[in-house]
């Protein structure tokens, strides 16, 4: 399940970056809202999946409350999921 979480975390991070640095500038700077809805929908679904998997992994991997909180908060910060993967999840690849 950890490997699947890493994939979802990566995709969620990419979708957040696309939303913040592609779709939103197009909407607000160039008045072109074409990409907000599809990218926003994909990001929303990936975000929900990320949080649900983080909750499941909290119990499966016996994460502390602090680690879970950091993993959860990282999902709303640009590049946060990439940082989490590198700092908190990379060491667990030996499972």
């Amino acid at each position: 399940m950890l490997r699947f979480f890493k994939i979802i975390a990566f995709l969620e991070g990419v979708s957040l970056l696309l939303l913040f640095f592609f779709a939103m500038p197009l909407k607000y700077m160039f008045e072109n809202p074409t990409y907000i809805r599809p990218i926003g929908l994909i990001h929303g679904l990936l975000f929900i999946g990320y949080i649900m998997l983080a909750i499941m992994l909290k119990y499966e991997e016996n994460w502390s409350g602090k680690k879970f909180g950091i993993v959860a908060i990282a999902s709303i910060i640009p590049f946060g999921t990439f940082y989490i993967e590198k700092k908190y999840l990379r060491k667990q690849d030996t499972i």
Side-chain angles (χ1 to χ4, degrees):
M1 174 145 60
L2 185 62
R3 177 165 280 149
F4 184 61
F5 179 71
K6 288 180 180 185
I7 293 168
I8 295 298
F10 175 77
L11 294 174
E12 197 275 337
V14 170
S15 71
L16 180 64
L17 294 176
L18 283 173
L19 191 61
F20 279 173
F21 299 113
F22 176 70
M24 290 176 71
L26 276 178
K27 179 180 180 182
Y28 293 110
M29 292 169 40
F30 302 107
E31 298 178 7
N32 182 0
T34 306
Y35 296 102
I36 286 288
R37 180 163 277 166
I39 293 174
L41 175 66
I42 291 167
H43 170 68
L45 293 172
L46 288 168
F47 174 77
I48 291 168
Y50 177 89
I51 295 298
M52 287 174 48
L53 286 170
I55 291 168
M56 292 167 60
L57 279 170
K58 179 190 184 322
Y59 295 106
E60 185 178 297
E61 299 287 327
N62 200 21
W63 288 352
S64 67
K66 179 181 177 184
K67 182 175 181 177
F68 172 73
I70 291 170
V71 168
I73 289 172
S75 67
I76 60 172
I77 300 170
F79 302 102
T81 57
F82 306 120
Y83 170 78
I84 290 301
E85 198 277 327
K86 190 154 193 94
K87 173 133 185 177
Y88 290 96
L89 303 178
R90 179 116 342 153
K91 297 171 189 165
Q92 296 179 4
D93 270 341
T94 59
I95 295 176

